[in-house]
Amino acid sequence: MANPRPSSHRLLRSRLLPPPSISCYVLVLLAFSAFIFLFSQRQITVVDRNPSDESFEDLKERLWGSAYGYGYRPCVKRTQKYAAPQKRNRYLTVRSNGGLNQMRTGICDMVAVARLMNATLVIPQLDKRSFWQDTSTFSDIFDESHFINSLEGDVHIVRELPKELESAPRARKHFTSWSGASYYEETSQLWKDYQVIHVPKSDSRLANNDLPIDIQRLRCRAMYHALRFSNPIERLGKKLVERLKSHGQYIALHLRFEKDMLSFTGCTYGLNDMEAEELRIMREITNHWKLKDINSIEQRLGGFCPLTPKEVGIFLQALGYPSSTWIYVAAGEIYGGETYLSDLRSRFPNLVFKETLATKEELKDFSSHSSQTAAIDYIISVESDVFVPSYTGNMARAVEGHRRFLRAQEDNKP
């Protein structure tokens, strides 16, 4: 029986408060199923370990079927009160910080700030000093012309400052998170003394703070319409989606088990003493990670640690996914490699990464740029039949939001 909705609009989100021992796996699975119900708004029941009581088609629909739309609509259209931007000779320059999805969110926030402050936005500079040391520019990751043109009715955007302002004095401003429109109106007083305001960090977090509806809709337009990935990234991402779909339906697994992630959170469950010490040292010497002393057991009991690869395998198997299921791992290098992947692979042999799905030739232009490879993971995750994050975070929230947006678009087509 064919699924009633396109595969790109299906959603499965999961999160778990992990238990401290293998003996509690039954509680793990029950808790995990409850979280899926709450966060994905999908009516999923616990899969019976004896599937003979239900038909194969019923089980298939439960595992791969579309999420319910619940009448949500994609709110991106401008209201009748929305006016065209006024062109002023004042500019906002921005340095976007963090990984790919943190930068994407920050860029959308800065589009809204530029609109609120009636400023021309200069194409943001991307973070080259973070943990990932990625030298990618905006145009390496995003379609720069599309970004500028799709927002021309909202904000004036230029690729660089006019020559006469390159050496002009700039006001350096760290915006306060969760600020309302009045805050930016007050900040606009800086234009009396400066033509250029520089924002060193873009993570101003404008969401959920009673901004005008047109500003919130602008943020959605920027995120889901304007920030399109560059053509090389889009082409390879779509090509890899086609390869996965040639084997049938697939799961995109955002497996948060990279070295930096485990070190940052202090989650060392299942690791040996040498590995735990290596992660502690890494956290200690990374200056911008403020929290140094972390109790790993308390982190895990508090639900602040990702599932291990083994736990993900047990969970998916318990839900009823067959061992033949293709699973794409949307993640960086997994800490410990095959040592910690072997159990998951034994349950689901068709476990693939971008490095095994694509050729070396196809990946050569992206492999040394973490944000570009993360963009490929993002495309494959959004297009997957089922998306499973092993831990919350920027990527999980961004993909879930994008999938909900696409589903709402589909539901509201005339």
Side-chain angles (χ1 to χ4, degrees):
M1 181 177 74
N3 286 322
R5 299 290 180 187
S7 61
S8 63
H9 301 161
R10 295 177 185 123
L11 174 66
L12 175 62
R13 180 173 180 186
S14 53
R15 188 185 174 198
L16 170 67
L17 302 182
S21 66
I22 301 297
S23 63
C24 295
Y25 274 132
V26 174
L27 294 178
V28 169
L29 299 175
L30 291 174
F32 212 161
S33 298
F35 267 91
I36 293 172
F37 176 83
L38 293 172
F39 285 97
S40 69
Q41 297 181 340
R42 235 184 113 181
Q43 295 178 342
I44 298 177
T45 57
V46 177
V47 174
D48 194 330
R49 292 182 183 278
N50 182 5
S52 61
D53 294 337
E54 62 181 337
S55 71
F56 173 77
E57 292 299 336
D58 288 341
L59 175 60
K60 183 178 178 182
E61 174 60 25
R62 188 132 46 84
L63 292 174
W64 299 101
S66 292
Y68 295 106
Y70 290 97
Y72 290 127
R73 293 175 297 167
C75 295
V76 294
K77 292 183 178 179
R78 303 171 180 89
T79 68
Q80 293 182 345
K81 297 180 180 179
Y82 192 75
Q86 299 177 12
K87 194 169 184 179
R88 298 282 182 85
N89 192 28
R90 51 198 192 191
Y91 297 84
L92 202 61
T93 62
V94 182
R95 183 180 297 279
S96 295
N97 56 296
L100 173 68
N101 290 290
Q102 184 176 338
M103 287 193 293
R104 290 174 72 241
T105 303
I107 290 168
C108 294
D109 281 351
M110 295 314 304
V111 168
V113 169
R115 170 73 191 199
L116 286 167
M117 297 184 66
N118 197 19
T120 296
L121 178 67
V122 180
I123 286 290
Q125 297 176 327
L126 303 188
D127 191 351
K128 297 179 174 59
R129 299 175 295 180
S130 67
F131 171 84
W132 300 276
Q133 298 291 302
D134 191 340
T135 59
S136 299
T137 64
F138 188 96
S139 60
D140 290 329
I141 301 174
F142 305 108
D143 185 334
E144 192 172 273
S145 295
H146 176 79
F147 180 72
I148 294 172
N149 295 334
S150 63
L151 293 173
E152 63 182 358
D154 302 292
V155 177
H156 289 287
I157 303 174
V158 295
R159 287 180 167 83
E160 55 189 18
L161 278 173
K163 294 293 184 183
E164 64 271 18
L165 292 178
E166 286 181 352
S167 58
R170 306 180 189 184
R172 184 181 173 92
K173 180 65 178 177
H174 286 272
F175 290 126
T176 302
S177 298
W178 310 106
S179 299
S182 61
Y183 169 82
Y184 293 100
E185 291 170 2
E186 294 171 6
T187 305
S188 295
Q189 298 300 314
L190 289 170
W191 297 128
K192 294 179 179 179
D193 300 313
Y194 300 93
Q195 281 185 271
V196 182
I197 297 176
H198 177 64
V199 184
K201 294 178 67 176
S202 64
D203 58 343
S204 48
R205 295 182 175 90
L206 296 182
N208 304 318
N209 55 0
D210 297 322
L211 287 173
I213 185 63
D214 267 317
I215 299 299
Q216 295 290 26
R217 291 184 177 188
L218 171 57
R219 295 177 69 247
C220 285
R221 286 197 297 279
M223 177 66 78
Y224 299 126
H225 290 171
L227 273 181
R228 189 169 68 189
F229 292 121
S230 65
N231 288 333
I233 290 174
E234 286 282 341
R235 281 196 298 269
L236 181 56
K238 299 295 185 183
K239 184 183 294 185
L240 298 187
V241 167
E242 290 175 4
R243 287 179 191 170
L244 284 163
K245 288 189 177 297
S246 70
H247 300 285
Q249 294 161 312
Y250 74 93
I251 293 173
L253 170 61
H254 186 44
L255 187 58
R256 297 307 312 274
F257 211 74
E258 302 99 332
K259 182 178 181 180
D260 63 300
M261 197 278 173
L262 296 177
S263 176
F264 177 76
T265 58
C267 295
T268 59
Y269 175 79
L271 306 181
N272 60 43
D273 291 342
M274 185 178 299
E275 290 168 332
E277 178 63 11
E278 180 184 24
L279 297 182
R280 187 198 67 77
I281 293 174
M282 180 180 179
R283 185 168 64 251
E284 185 67 33
I285 63 176
T286 305
N287 293 331
H288 60 279
W289 292 354
K290 304 302 181 185
L291 194 59
K292 303 298 183 182
D293 297 321
I294 301 177
N295 185 310
S296 181
I297 295 176
E298 291 180 358
Q299 282 286 95
R300 183 168 168 82
L301 289 175
F304 304 117
C305 292
L307 292 177
T308 67
K310 180 177 181 178
E311 289 168 333
V312 171
I314 292 172
F315 167 66
L316 293 176
Q317 193 175 58
L319 280 181
Y321 288 100
S323 61
S324 59
T325 301
W326 280 71
I327 299 178
Y328 176 82
V329 180
E333 184 177 354
I334 302 302
Y335 189 58
E338 201 59 32
T339 300
Y340 296 112
L341 284 171
S342 58
D343 189 275
L344 173 59
R345 194 183 298 279
S346 70
R347 299 170 192 273
F348 296 95
N350 295 321
L351 190 72
V352 295
F353 295 76
K354 64 181 77 65
E355 292 80 8
T356 54
L357 193 61
T359 66
K360 289 184 178 180
E361 182 68 20
E362 289 171 329
L363 285 176
K364 71 175 184 178
D365 293 333
F366 309 102
S367 57
S368 59
H369 302 284
S370 60
S371 292
Q372 295 181 48
T373 55
I376 295 170
D377 285 341
Y378 186 91
I379 292 171
I380 296 173
S381 296
V382 168
E383 295 290 334
S384 65
D385 297 281
V386 172
F387 173 65
V388 179
S390 65
Y391 185 71
T392 187
N394 291 321
M395 170 77 164
R397 289 190 290 267
V399 170
E400 180 181 0
H402 203 151
R403 290 166 70 93
R404 288 185 186 277
F405 177 82
L406 292 174
R407 174 57 198 260
Q409 272 194 324
E410 183 67 22
D411 283 351
N412 286 276
K413 281 184 177 178

